[in-house]
Amino acid sequence: MLNSMAKILKHYFVPHAQNNWLPHILQARRTVFYSAVFLAMKLIVIGFVLLIPAEAYLLPDVLAGQARTLFSLTNDLRRERALPLLQGEVLLERSATVRAADMAENGYFSHEGPGQRTLAYFLRLVGYNYRVAGENLAMGFPDAESLFAAWVASPSHYANLVDRDYRQFGVGLQGGAFNGQPTVYVVEHFGDPAAALAEVPPARPLARAPRPAPRGRVVARPAPEPAAVQGEKLTPLLMPERPATPLARYVQGRRALSPLTHLFTVARIIYLGAIIFFSAALLLTIFIEIRRQHYHVIAQTLGLLCLLLVLWYV
C-alpha cells in the first residue's frame, strides 16, 4: 500500500523517465483547471464584497477596525516626520466618540454643533483638563486610508496631525445619516493635559442658535468662551459612501471589512500556499534533469504563478 502511494506521488510530483520527465501535476489541462479554480475563488470573494449591504460598513467591529487604522496612520505620519508619537487617551477617545454621536444624532457636520457645542464643550463633558487641544472631522469616506490622505492634503487638518504641542489623542466613529444618506462620522481629538488637574464643572449646552463655523484646525484653551478657530475655511471632507465602480467597491470592502470576516485572509493564505507549491514543482521539473526540458510546461506554469501573484496581491 505504501509503495503504491509512493509511486503515485512520484508520478504526479517528481519528473522521471516513466513520466517522460513531466510530472502530471503540471500537465497543460491541469494547469488550465487550476487557473479556473483560483479565478472562481477570487470571483466568490468579489461577489461577497459587492453584494454585502452598505449597513455592514456601520457595524461596531468595522468601525473599531477603521479607528485602529486611523490611530496607526496618524502615528506613522509623525514617525516619518521625526515627531513624538501620540499616546492613546481614553478621555479623548470618549470625547471624540461623543462628538461623532452628537453629529450623527443631530445631523450636522461642523466644529460647532447646536447650542454652540464646540470642542471645548465635549472636552469638559468628559472631564479632560487640557493645556491645548485640537479636532479633525470627516464623514462619508469609504475607508480610513482615503480619509487620512484627505486630511494630509488639507493644510489645516495636517497641522493638527503634526502639531508638536499634542501628546495624546483619541479617535471616534459613529454611523448615522446626513441629508438622508447613510454615512460615518469620524472625529480625532488631540490634546496635551494641563499640568494642574483642577476640577472642571460639566459643560452646559447654551441656548443661542448655532452659527456657521469654519472647518479646519480647531485649537481650544481652558476658558468658558467657545474655542478659537484657526486655519483656512474648508468645505466638508465628504466623499461618496459607496464607490461607483466594482473595483473601487472591492478595494473599499477589502480594507474596511477585514475585521468582520476572515475571508480575505483565508483566500490570501490559499494563494500563497499555491504559489509555494507550484514554484517548488517547477523547480523540480527544471533541475532534476536539466537536459530534458519541456519549455511549454515551464511557460504555462510561470503563467499560472503570475496569475496567483496577481490574485494574492488583489
Side-chain angles (χ1 to χ4, degrees), residues 88-293:
E89 166 55 50
V90 65
L91 291 179
L92 289 177
E93 180 181 341
R94 191 177 303 165
S95 66
T97 301
V98 173
R99 159 72 94 176
D102 189 63
M103 289 194 294
E105 181 179 350
N106 293 286
Y108 72 93
F109 180 70
S110 171
H111 287 295
E112 183 176 330
Q116 287 195 330
R117 292 198 286 270
T118 61
L119 170 60
Y121 168 88
F122 291 100
L123 295 178
R124 292 199 301 270
L125 193 66
V126 301
Y128 183 77
N129 290 332
Y130 56 92
R131 182 181 65 85
V132 62
E135 176 180 75
N136 277 349
L137 305 180
M139 70 173 178
F141 279 81
D143 51 64
E145 288 81 358
S146 57
L147 183 156
F148 192 77
W151 273 346
V152 171
S154 164
S156 53
H157 294 81
Y158 177 78
N160 270 338
L161 296 172
V162 298
D163 196 319
R164 288 182 176 273
D165 287 338
Y166 300 141
R167 293 193 295 153
Q168 300 173 338
F169 81 133
V171 182
L173 287 84
Q174 180 67 45
F178 187 77
N179 292 336
Q181 297 297 318
T183 191
V184 176
Y185 293 88
V186 185
V187 179
E188 261 192 340
H189 279 175
F190 305 84
D192 182 35
L197 297 179
E199 287 292 328
V200 178
R204 296 180 180 177
L206 300 178
R208 289 192 298 174
R211 65 177 185 274
R215 297 171 176 85
R217 190 182 183 211
V218 177
V219 175
R221 301 186 185 278
E225 65 270 11
V229 181
Q230 300 177 353
E232 61 183 301
K233 293 185 178 181
L234 300 171
T235 56
L237 288 177
L238 177 62
M239 288 176 60
E241 190 67 36
R242 297 282 280 176
T245 67
L247 177 59
R249 290 176 63 183
Y250 169 73
V251 172
Q252 174 199 10
R254 189 182 64 174
R255 289 175 174 174
L257 297 177
S258 293
L260 188 65
T261 175
H262 297 294
L263 180 62
F264 304 100
T265 301
V266 170
R268 284 174 63 86
I269 290 174
I270 292 174
Y271 290 132
L272 181 60
I275 290 170
I276 294 172
F277 174 80
F278 286 108
S279 296
L282 180 60
L283 291 174
L284 280 173
T285 301
I286 293 173
F287 291 110
I288 281 187
E289 181 51 73
I290 198 74
R291 294 167 298 177
R292 299 174 182 270
Q293 299 296 325

